[in-house]
């Protein structure tokens, strides 16, 4: 059970700001008004005790506030825009394995070292010699890959060679 997705209708891609609290998530969408009706029924939610949308006519924004059940913490969230809809995906905290040798068994992680290809990042020591930022990032990501794999996690790396990936390519893997 990875989490839940809430979908709302919207025109375009409104600017938004989010605030993540101890047991809540608030997302404010500017220059848009969202329907605060049936789309926010939280009665079937495993994560949230309530989901409320409030429109502020002076600021021309709608704030959607998600309150978690039993003071549960979210593992994370994502806001996406897809063909006239806003999708807010809230993620459950993963359950760790009971196997002490492999505590991350059943957990999937995507590592992205960034840079690569024609974008080396910072260039060596003081810009002259030494490894590039992309090389150092890749080595750190690979070391993390080996350690997380040893702990039982399913690991994917966005890059396995020196290549430049678009933001969309990186996100598609995740």
């Amino acid at each position: 059970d990875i989490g839940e997705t809430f979908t709302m209708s919207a025109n375009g891609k409104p600017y938004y700001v989010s605030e993540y609290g101890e047991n809540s998530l608030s997302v404010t969408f500017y220059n848009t008004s969202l329907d605060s009706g049936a789309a926010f029924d939280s009665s079937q939610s495993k994560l949230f005790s309530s989901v409320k949308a409030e429109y502020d006519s002076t600021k021309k924004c709608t704030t959607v506030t998600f309150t978690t059940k039993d003071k549960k913490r979210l593992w994370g969230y994502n806001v996406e825009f897809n063909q006239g809809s806003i999708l807010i995906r809230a993620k459950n905290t993963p359950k760790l394995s009971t196997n002490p040798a492999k505590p991350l068994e059943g957990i999937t992680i995507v590592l992205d070292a960034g840079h690569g290809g024609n974008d080396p990042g910072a260039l060596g020591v003081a810009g002259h010699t030494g490894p590039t930022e992309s090389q150092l990032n890749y080595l750190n990501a690979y070391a993390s890959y080996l350690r997380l794999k040893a702990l039982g996690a399913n690991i994917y790396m966005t890059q396995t060679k020196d290549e430049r990936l678009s933001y969309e390519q990186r996100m598609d893997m995740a």
Side-chain angles (χ1 to χ4, degrees), residues 8-91:
M8 298 152 276
S9 296
N11 293 328
K13 294 181 179 181
Y15 170 75
Y16 72 92
V17 175
S18 58
E19 183 178 334
Y20 186 49
E22 186 67 26
N23 66 333
S24 67
L25 167 64
S26 294
V27 185
T28 301
F29 297 95
Y30 290 90
N31 297 319
T32 190
S33 62
L34 302 172
D35 178 20
S36 59
F40 300 107
D41 178 16
S42 60
S43 64
Q44 301 299 314
S45 175
K46 293 179 184 176
L47 281 174
F48 301 106
S49 59
S50 69
V51 181
K52 296 180 183 166
E54 295 180 51
Y55 180 70
D56 183 335
S57 59
T58 53
K59 293 182 182 177
K60 295 184 181 174
C61 66
T62 301
T63 300
V64 183
T65 303
F66 300 84
T67 304
T68 60
K69 289 184 176 178
D70 304 320
K71 297 187 178 184
K72 188 184 241 185
R73 294 247 334 137
L74 296 177
W75 187 250
Y77 62 93
N78 188 32
V79 178
E80 297 177 31
F81 304 97
N82 186 6
Q83 299 177 359
S85 294
I86 296 172
L87 291 86
I88 299 176
R89 301 182 194 277
K91 298 176 185 171

Side-chain angles (χ1 to χ4, degrees), residues 2 15-16 123 125:
I2 294 173
Y15 170 75
Y16 72 92
L123 301 175
V125 179

